[in-house]
Amino acid sequence: MLITLEGIDGSGKTTVWEALSASGTLPEDAVFTREPSETWYGKNVRRSLADPDADTFAELFLFTADHADHLSRVVRPALAEGKVVVSDRYSDSRYAYQAASLAGELERPMEYIKGVHAPFTRPPDATVYLDVPAEVGAGRAGATDKLERREYLERVHANYERLIEAEPERFVRVDATQSPEAVLASVEDALEYVLEG
């Protein structure tokens, strides 16, 4: 089973992901992974994020290349072995974030990005969406790169809402404005429900 953690910057995804890896909530052989990855593909994604003048299409395809490599090296092999995979960010991040970046460049950016991914991606079985307002996420994230500004995160948040509306059965929404302990407890409850089918 492929479980993904999604949400805007500052929603606490990485904190939850790290806590889950140590909590024993999931099977002992569960694979914890993330995007951007730690490979050279992911490192180039991070270089692009640090460049305010990076081309938005080039950035999309850097993210997409990292996703393809992540699938072939980590996700598909682990799933083939029957393991639970938990990914901190996955394809929905691309649909939400890069669609916001390309909003002025394409008429239907999310549909375009989904079309690029469709031939090769592996959809998640369940997605935990950590929901915070854009102003909260921006405040927590500290706006250290161009994707963490409040105005941008408002567009990203709206894109996540579109994704949830399109596939409500896949997403579990968690109120991430709660305390970190309460958020983790909510996520653990959601995962227990998901794993029990």
Side-chain angles (χ1 to χ4, degrees), residues 9-196:
D9 283 86
S11 62
K13 291 173 316 308
T14 302
T15 301
V16 166
W17 179 82
E18 290 170 348
L20 284 174
S21 67
S23 72
T25 304
L26 295 167
E28 194 174 308
D29 64 349
V31 173
F32 288 84
T33 187
R34 61 174 41 157
E35 292 186 7
S37 71
E38 298 300 322
T39 67
W40 66 269
Y41 295 100
K43 288 175 183 171
N44 281 308
V45 167
R46 289 185 184 87
R47 287 179 62 194
S48 179
L49 291 177
D51 179 359
D53 299 319
D55 180 79
T56 50
F57 280 101
E59 202 161 77
L60 164 65
F61 288 109
L62 282 173
F63 272 106
T64 304
D66 184 54
H67 180 64
D69 181 70
H70 184 224
L71 276 164
S72 66
R73 288 181 194 247
V74 179
V75 177
R76 290 190 193 280
L79 292 174
E81 293 174 7
K83 295 178 179 176
V84 172
V85 177
V86 181
S87 186
D88 175 5
R89 294 205 181 282
Y90 193 70
S91 55
D92 288 314
S93 284
R94 214 105 47 255
Y95 307 150
Y97 276 81
Q98 271 56 62
S101 295
L102 290 166
E105 312 262 351
L106 294 171
E107 188 174 334
R108 299 176 63 141
M110 189 182 294
E111 288 73 11
Y112 173 78
I113 297 164
K114 283 185 170 184
V116 169
H117 282 69
F120 74 92
T121 198
R122 198 292 193 176
D125 296 297
T127 299
V128 176
Y129 176 63
L130 300 175
D131 190 12
V132 294
E135 60 271 19
V136 173
R140 288 179 180 176
T144 56
D145 68 44
K146 61 192 174 187
L147 302 188
E148 295 175 348
R149 296 185 313 270
R150 184 178 66 91
E151 297 80 8
Y152 181 77
L153 290 179
E154 285 172 351
R155 298 198 305 272
V156 174
H157 192 276
N159 285 340
Y160 272 119
E161 292 298 332
R162 288 179 57 204
L163 292 167
I164 293 166
E165 186 178 338
E167 292 184 81
E169 69 288 345
R170 174 165 66 88
F171 285 87
V172 179
R173 187 189 302 266
V174 170
D175 177 2
T177 63
Q178 305 173 87
S179 70
E181 296 79 13
V183 171
L184 179 60
S186 296
V187 171
E188 287 175 333
D189 288 347
L191 292 179
E192 187 176 340
Y193 175 78
V194 165
L195 290 171
E196 288 176 357

